[in-house]
Amino acid sequence: MSAPKNSSRDFAETRRENGSRTGMVRGGASGRGPGAVPYGTATTTTTTTRSLGMLEVIGAGLPRTGTTSTKAALERLGFGPCYHTFEVMLHPELAERWLPVRSGGPADWDVVFEGFRSCVDWPAGFFWRELAQSYPDAKVVLTVRDPHSWYSSFRVLGSLSSRGPMREDAVPEAVRPVVAAMTSLRPLFERISRSVFGEEWRPGHTPDEERAVEAYHRHVAEVRAALPAERLLVFDVREGWGPLCAFLGVTAPPGGPFPHLNDAASIRGMFELMHTEGRVRVPFQGGGG
């Protein structure tokens, strides 16, 4: 299943356009050598002089709460590049930045998020508390939706993993670096899932609806209790530009509807495309929106 026209970007195509991308990552801290390597294209229409490497917006919402749409919105508002798990699929080398965190060691968040101004989705969103402490001037956006609707959507991810993890030798060569990167992060995602859903959780298993919805409510309550109201926006993407723009102190983009991306069909289609054609197609334009 292909993504809608003009709303996606292939892995290979994104690679070819590196020269025109924004969000340059400096060499050295990223271990990428002396040259600047672009990560996380920002499809923003706002001119900004903010420096990269300092998070300004932290997404604390669980996956499948509109995180991809929020990523696209933040980038259009000038808070990009925005880190999302999809960035690892477009740039597999980014997975290396998470290895100390995966191993339970101290995290250097400036290294993990070098080249990005905001972040959403797991694994970043799981560490919302640590990030809020590390970046005290950053604002936090907690994306929410009806919890039972969320569960139905989140279960799609579980249905994919229940088929077993992708293996490098079972996919076309072009996407093997992507599979290797996501495989290296699997222990981190398993640790996150056990923390959220309980020690009884096991890989490839989606919790029953009652337990998952309880975890959802618990997460929302913890974020709301931990942060002052002036620093936190509890945000349903169905509300559109208004609350988000007011919270961030910016103006809504002229003539553009709020993005609504990455439905369950898109997720299934993305993984199917990796298996059949050896391509990664993400649900946002330009590899960063």
Side-chain angles (χ1 to χ4, degrees):
M1 182 180 300
S2 60
K5 186 177 180 181
N6 295 328
S7 65
S8 62
R9 182 59 54 100
D10 290 343
F11 175 66
E13 185 179 355
T14 303
R15 289 289 195 182
R16 289 195 298 269
E17 295 186 357
N18 275 351
S20 63
R21 294 166 63 101
T22 62
M24 304 297 291
V25 174
R26 298 179 297 278
S30 62
R32 297 288 299 164
V37 179
Y39 291 129
T41 302
T43 56
T44 175
T45 58
T46 303
T47 301
T48 177
T49 58
R50 292 187 293 267
S51 62
L52 296 175
M54 179 71 71
L55 290 182
E56 298 174 80
V57 183
I58 298 164
L62 294 174
R64 310 306 300 164
T65 57
T67 55
T68 307
S69 300
T70 302
K71 168 185 166 63
L74 288 172
E75 292 184 336
R76 290 193 63 188
L77 294 174
F79 294 92
C82 178
Y83 192 101
H84 186 289
T85 308
F86 285 133
E87 293 294 340
V88 177
M89 302 183 76
L90 291 171
H91 302 283
E93 62 273 16
L94 289 175
E96 297 176 6
R97 301 184 181 186
W98 287 99
L99 296 185
V101 183
R102 185 197 70 177
S103 303
D108 187 338
W109 298 119
D110 286 346
V111 171
V112 174
F113 296 108
E114 185 181 10
F116 295 89
R117 290 195 177 102
S118 54
C119 64
V120 295
D121 205 72
W122 284 355
F126 174 75
F127 296 98
W128 61 269
R129 193 185 301 269
E130 293 88 339
L131 294 175
Q133 293 173 348
S134 297
Y135 301 100
D137 293 328
K139 293 193 172 184
V140 179
V141 177
L142 173 62
T143 46
V144 296
R145 63 187 293 185
D146 173 79
H148 296 282
S149 173
W150 164 79
Y151 178 76
S152 297
S153 183
F154 188 80
R155 191 168 52 182
V156 172
L157 300 180
S159 69
L160 292 171
S161 61
S162 65
R163 303 172 190 172
M166 280 190 178
R167 302 193 325 270
E168 288 184 63
D169 60 358
V171 297
E173 185 175 358
V175 295
R176 288 177 185 174
V178 178
V179 175
M182 298 306 292
T183 299
S184 73
L185 293 178
R186 190 178 303 137
L188 178 59
F189 282 109
E190 291 177 357
R191 167 187 158 197
I192 290 172
S193 296
R194 281 193 297 270
S195 177
V196 172
F197 297 116
E199 290 300 322
E200 300 83 1
W201 180 89
R202 61 186 185 276
H205 171 71
T206 301
D208 63 73
E209 185 166 1
E210 181 179 1
R211 174 171 294 186
V213 169
E214 287 178 356
Y216 174 93
H217 285 302
R218 184 168 59 248
H219 173 76
V220 170
E222 288 176 355
V223 178
R224 298 186 73 155
L227 296 166
E230 64 271 13
R231 196 181 177 193
L232 175 66
L233 173 67
V234 180
F235 180 57
D236 187 323
V237 295
R238 295 176 301 176
E239 298 175 287
W241 291 114
L244 186 62
C245 291
F247 178 64
L248 298 175
V250 295
T251 304
F258 191 91
H260 293 283
L261 307 174
N262 201 32
D263 58 16
S266 297
I267 285 283
R268 289 192 178 96
M270 179 180 65
F271 281 94
E272 183 67 23
L273 201 64
M274 288 178 65
H275 274 294
T276 59
E277 299 184 26
R279 289 189 292 153
V280 173
R281 175 163 289 184
V282 295
F284 47 78
Q285 184 177 4

